[in-house]
Amino acid sequence: MSDTPFGFGLPPEEPDDGDEGKKKDQQSGGGQGPANPFGFGGLPGAGGPGGPGADNPFAAMFGSLNPTDLGAAFQQLGQMLSYEGGPVNWDMAKQIARQTVSQGSPDGTKDASVGPADRKAVEEAVRLADLWLDDATSLPSGAASAVAWSRAEWVEATLPAWKELVDPVAERVGTAMGDVLPEEMQAMAGPLIGMMRSMGGAMFGTQIGQAVGVLAGEVVGSSDIGLPLAPAGKAALLPVNIETFGKDLSVPQEEVRLYLALREAAHQRLFAHVPWLRSHLFGAVDGYARGIKVDTAKLEDVVGQFDPQNPEQLQEALQQGMFQPEDTPEQKAALARLETALALVEGWVDAVVHAAAKPRLASADALRETLRRRRASGGPAEQTFATLIGLELRPRRLRDASRLWASLTDARGVDGRDALWHHPDMLPTATDLDDPDGFVHREQIDFSELDKMLGEAADKPDLKKKDDGEDKNKGDDAG
């Protein structure tokens, strides 16, 4: 598990005032300490440790606080403390994500509007990818349209999905913040509790905004993390990130784009034609979040000693492992369910894309391995989940799932493999990923007899009704 399971520290790949800033931060105790209690280091003008505003807890948010923008600074502070929405201040998250994107990614690339040439190239790549996938899967095309997004457009389009993913965890934290005081004290401490909840929403919004903004500089499509983040039926690629991704691969840019289009189109087919899958995945995240427990004793101590003039106390407390998953069989099962579901999605896409690309692209093997290593070394999916909901995906599961789907193709054919998506109970389990051969060669269940029995049972009420009617008529005739 991540040391900061709910994202109250900078994402691992986010630079903090350059390398020197990281060193100074580690020397001062690590993380976002008193010099930056709210973690607003991603904003323009933020001062690192020892820099401008280092002793001012709001300087990182408001820059140098010069007289010309002092009014705007206090207006924004007022909006933060007066926030009365859900557990996450999503307006703040969106603002910070957009600002993070505008700063550019660590490799120096900047976001830019997508031109007509890139839009046409993406549309053609997705169209060709769908043709190739027709031979590799029985699921029909799921992409009603193909779009080329800038990083900022990716942020705008995916925030609704992030909200659905993160709110369950944030809700647990927000509820705990309001419940730690005895009832007789809650009425007296109403304003304090309201302020704490507003600050909690701001801190969640800040960290989520930073994480999503950083992720926007890395993802190459809408489905990099194995979840349907984009609107249904919309296959999306990010040309600026695809160019960066393929820069050092010694592979023609057209082949890189086409291979990534295959992955995006394969995800779209799966999510479009397996109607229960989206709710299954998001429900697994929610089930995992429900097992989050809060160290109420530690939180009570923080609340009892909370000083509004030192808001960094709350930030420091949130970084000290106060919120952890429960070590219970139910929580372990929820974690296994989520990891397995994500692994099965990614493994199926990996196997199907490889089958479609291998005969047609000379670089198929190299691109496949590059993407696998990218995930195994802590790519977008692992880092984002660890930052936002305390979940680190296990890449080993993805490779196991890919091998299982490939073996199923050999043993049962494309139709037999894809038929397992008809119902979640038919899918392989975590145990099956440990023994893929056992699952592949297990005797297949014949549902024909069951369907026949269900059909007969469905017909019986009609027969009974008919018989009852005949009996009644006979009775009337006799009368």
Side-chain angles (χ1 to χ4, degrees):
M1 283 296 156
S2 170
D3 292 334
T4 56
F6 297 95
F8 291 107
L10 285 173
E13 64 269 43
E14 175 87 10
D16 182 9
D17 197 23
D19 293 335
E20 289 299 319
K22 288 182 179 179
K23 295 176 183 177
K24 293 177 182 178
D25 187 57
Q26 292 168 357
Q27 293 171 359
S28 63
Q32 299 280 339
N36 191 357
F38 295 102
F40 290 102
L43 296 179
D55 296 326
N56 187 330
F58 303 108
M61 180 177 180
F62 300 127
S64 60
L65 287 177
N66 61 67
T68 59
D69 58 11
L70 185 60
F74 278 105
Q75 182 179 6
Q76 189 171 358
L77 174 60
Q79 291 173 351
M80 181 185 76
L81 295 180
S82 63
Y83 173 72
E84 297 180 351
V88 177
N89 189 329
W90 285 102
D91 290 337
M92 181 171 289
K94 177 180 176 180
Q95 176 187 359
I96 291 177
R98 293 292 299 261
Q99 290 174 334
T100 302
V101 164
S102 68
Q103 294 174 9
S105 54
D107 62 8
T109 59
K110 297 286 187 179
D111 193 24
S113 299
V114 180
D118 282 330
R119 293 189 186 279
K120 183 178 180 181
V122 166
E123 291 172 358
E124 292 179 349
V126 173
R127 188 181 304 113
L128 181 57
D130 256 338
L131 289 175
W132 289 6
L133 287 172
D134 285 340
D135 297 331
T137 175
S138 62
L139 299 180
S141 174
S145 62
V147 295
W149 281 341
S150 66
R151 294 168 179 173
E153 288 172 323
W154 182 90
V155 168
E156 294 278 352
T158 61
L159 271 180
W162 291 118
K163 185 178 188 298
E164 189 173 350
L165 284 168
V166 176
D167 271 353
V169 178
E171 183 66 40
R172 294 279 295 171
V173 177
T175 300
M177 282 180 147
D179 293 345
V180 293
L181 292 178
E183 289 187 12
E184 61 272 14
M185 294 182 61
Q186 288 189 17
M188 299 171 54
L192 174 60
I193 294 175
M195 179 183 293
M196 291 179 63
R197 284 178 172 168
S198 296
M199 291 169 60
M203 284 186 285
F204 262 114
T206 300
Q207 209 53 52
I208 292 166
Q210 288 176 337
V212 171
V214 170
L215 188 60
E218 299 177 348
V219 294
V220 294
S222 73
S223 55
D224 276 25
I225 69 169
L227 291 173
L229 297 179
K234 186 167 290 187
L237 295 175
L238 282 72
V240 65
N241 291 353
I242 291 176
E243 183 179 354
T244 301
F245 173 80
K247 185 169 55 177
D248 300 321
L249 294 182
S250 300
V251 175
Q253 189 74 13
E254 294 75 14
E255 290 192 21
V256 174
R257 184 191 303 111
L258 183 52
Y259 192 88
L260 296 176
L262 280 166
R263 289 183 54 82
E264 179 71 12
H267 278 103
Q268 292 297 328
R269 290 185 179 224
L270 194 57
F271 290 125
H273 299 291
V274 183
W276 54 264
L277 183 57
R278 187 183 192 281
S279 59
H280 180 75
L281 289 168
F282 281 68
V285 174
D286 182 68
Y288 176 79
R290 292 181 186 278
I292 297 296
K293 68 177 181 179
V294 180
D295 188 342
T296 54
K298 185 180 293 185
L299 189 55
E300 286 175 2
D301 183 61
V302 172
V303 172
Q305 302 179 26
F306 180 71
D307 181 359
Q309 295 183 356
N310 293 291
E312 64 269 14
Q313 290 177 350
L314 185 59
Q315 174 74 10
E316 291 172 349
L318 295 174
Q319 293 177 334
Q320 294 173 1
M322 187 179 295
F323 311 107
Q324 297 292 341
E326 290 182 330
D327 188 17
T328 63
E330 293 78 12
Q331 182 67 352
K332 290 178 180 177
L335 178 61
R337 177 184 172 219
L338 178 55
E339 288 181 332
T340 301
L342 290 168
L344 289 174
V345 169
E346 286 294 275
W348 182 89
V349 168
D350 181 79
V352 167
V353 168
H354 184 69
K358 177 69 172 176
R360 301 175 173 95
L361 289 179
S363 58
D365 288 333
L367 289 170
R368 183 191 201 187
E369 188 59 29
T370 297
L371 285 164
R372 284 181 166 185
R373 290 182 179 180
R374 184 176 185 241
R375 177 64 61 85
S377 63
E382 291 78 27
Q383 298 293 357
T384 301
F385 270 86
T387 300
L388 298 185
I389 61 174
L391 175 68
E392 292 183 353
L393 303 182
R394 293 183 294 173
R396 179 178 62 85
R397 299 280 80 182
L398 304 183
R399 289 182 180 266
D400 291 343
S402 180
R403 284 194 294 269
L404 187 147
W405 288 118
S407 297
L408 281 169
T409 307
D410 294 338
R412 305 184 187 182
V414 168
D415 291 344
R417 177 201 66 199
D418 292 347
L420 293 178
W421 290 107
H422 287 168
H423 193 277
D425 290 343
M426 297 175 65
L427 289 177
T429 64
T431 302
D432 294 325
L433 292 181
D434 294 328
D435 182 23
D437 290 337
F439 179 84
V440 169
H441 299 294
R442 186 181 306 160
E443 184 177 354
Q444 300 182 49
I445 300 175
D446 185 359
F447 288 96
S448 60
E449 288 300 320
L450 179 60
D451 291 340
K452 182 179 178 181
M453 292 171 60
L454 291 174
E456 291 175 353
D459 291 338
K460 285 182 179 178
D462 294 333
L463 292 174
K464 187 175 185 301
K465 184 177 180 181
K466 181 178 180 182
D467 292 341
D468 290 344
E470 290 176 352
D471 292 341
K472 183 177 179 182
N473 291 335
K474 289 178 182 178
D476 293 339
D477 293 340

